Amino acid sequence: MDNLSTMARQPLLRTPLILIVTLTLWSSGVARSEEISVAPGSLVRWPGERIEKCSIGDRSWEPLAGECWFPIDLLTLEGPLEVARWRRGEREKTILQVASYPYEVQRITLQDDSQVNLSVEDLERVRRENQKIAGLWGLESPRQFRFPLAPPLDPLPTGGRFGSRRFFNDQPRSPHSGADFAADSGTPVLATATGTVALSGDFFFSGKSVFLDHGDGLISMYFHLSGIAVEQGDSVDRGEILGLVGATGRATGPHLHFGVRWHRARIDPQLLLAPTDQIRAVPSL
Ligand SMILES: [Zn+2]
């Protein structure tokens, strides 16, 4: 969901990583505290030996490649966030400091005002669609992905604008929860990982859309397609064609909106496409 003419005038890639690691040494030199500042919508990993489980609040999951990975939802409020891991049956915790929301403001003008000020019928349609979509976040199936994920376009153009605060026709709307990649209409859109088509169809805002379930709570999304090549329930392989780039739904030009949710958290999908050693790690003390 983006305005491509606005995109062209502004920096294309806004990396939301403003992760600042601060280590505080206490005077004894023995007891140490750490404070890791993380941006909402980012990702942190906590390496360690023999990790059995990772958790935030009441949600827990298995380690991935031996490490705990913590997705920080885009709308997480500023302040401390406790995360934990289990090793040899013992719970260890650390505190992440969630920084204030750092993203840019984007103003988008849509000629079709009915896509900004919705009719009663459209509001009802969006409510029904959102309900259906929200049902995906709780899916629990075995993990079928590996990091980094495969790019959804090949080659992947520069893109992004994850998290931008948006004003459509001067009215504030939800922040942008995916990354936009401008591409020609008809460009093949590829599965970022092996998975199952959890939902597909034509939605009010996202147009023709495909939602893939990759297991372990990871859902990837592909919006504004001109055509869909898969059906709900299909198994797809990493790199398989899901559909074609288009401009359906609330879009002003052909582009792919690519988004992910992991353990319900909206995070910048570009972080999952990057080499894993680029993801900020909790320092070992
Ligand atoms: Zn978008």
Side-chain angles (χ1 to χ4, degrees):
M1 293 176 218
D2 216 317
N3 178 311
L4 294 179
S5 59
T6 317
M7 263 179 95
R9 287 200 301 274
Q10 298 188 14
L12 287 172
L13 179 62
R14 297 285 302 225
T15 307
L17 272 179
I18 53 152
L19 302 166
I20 307 153
V21 177
T22 317
L23 296 176
T24 309
L25 297 182
W26 296 97
S27 52
S28 70
V30 179
R32 291 189 281 184
S33 76
E34 59 185 283
E35 189 175 280
I36 300 164
S37 175
V38 299
S42 70
L43 184 65
V44 183
R45 62 193 172 89
W46 192 4
E49 301 291 309
R50 297 187 191 151
I51 297 173
E52 291 139 16
K53 196 167 76 166
C54 318
S55 74
I56 300 181
D58 56 2
R59 291 173 295 143
S60 62
W61 53 88
E62 304 280 306
L64 198 152
E67 303 182 344
C68 278
W69 294 70
F70 299 107
I72 313 298
D73 184 68
L74 177 61
L75 299 186
T76 307
L77 296 178
E78 184 176 356
L81 177 68
E82 183 179 304
V83 299
R85 66 182 183 188
W86 273 256
R87 295 200 298 169
R88 301 177 192 91
E90 302 245 323
R91 184 177 188 272
E92 302 171 346
K93 65 173 188 177
T94 191
I95 303 290
L96 306 176
Q97 287 294 335
V98 179
S100 62
Y101 187 80
Y103 301 103
E104 66 176 324
V105 170
Q106 187 184 9
R107 295 187 180 275
I108 296 168
T109 304
L110 290 171
Q111 300 305 325
D112 183 358
D113 195 61
S114 71
Q115 289 185 321
V116 182
N117 293 299
L118 275 57
S119 67
V120 174
E121 294 75 23
D122 287 340
L123 276 172
E124 176 57 22
R125 175 181 167 191
V126 167
R127 194 192 60 77
R128 280 198 313 272
E129 290 177 354
N130 285 346
Q131 221 170 22
K132 224 190 253 186
I133 293 166
L136 304 176
W137 312 145
L139 289 177
E140 290 181 17
S141 49
R143 182 184 295 155
Q144 296 192 73
F145 62 87
R146 64 173 193 270
F147 290 151
L149 298 175
L153 297 171
D154 184 21
L156 187 70
T158 309
R161 314 203 64 159
F162 173 82
S164 60
R165 304 166 202 241
R166 306 187 126 188
F167 291 78
F168 285 95
N169 297 358
D170 290 330
Q171 296 191 40
R173 290 292 182 266
S174 305
H176 189 227
S177 59
D180 288 327
F181 300 98
D184 290 339
S185 208
T187 305
V189 172
L190 313 171
T192 198
T194 297
T196 306
V197 180
L199 182 65
S200 69
D202 197 352
F203 296 83
F204 184 82
F205 287 125
S206 59
K208 290 185 181 164
S209 307
V210 174
F211 297 79
L212 297 184
D213 173 22
H214 306 290
D216 187 30
L218 181 70
I219 305 287
S220 66
M221 296 159 252
Y222 313 79
F223 293 170
H224 309 303
L225 307 180
S226 58
I228 296 178
V230 291
E231 283 180 16
Q232 206 165 312
D234 284 356
S235 295
V236 296
D237 289 330
R238 181 181 164 104
E240 191 171 325
I241 295 178
L242 304 172
L244 304 173
V245 169
T248 55
R250 189 164 72 183
T252 55
H255 72 286
L256 173 66
H257 170 109
F258 175 56
V260 296
R261 284 250 192 175
W262 193 23
H263 304 306
R264 296 182 182 273
R266 285 152 281 203
I267 57 171
D268 185 349
Q270 288 186 296
L271 295 173
L272 302 184
L273 300 173
T276 50
D277 59 4
Q278 287 183 14
I279 303 301
R280 177 69 65 190
V282 173
S284 48
L285 293 176

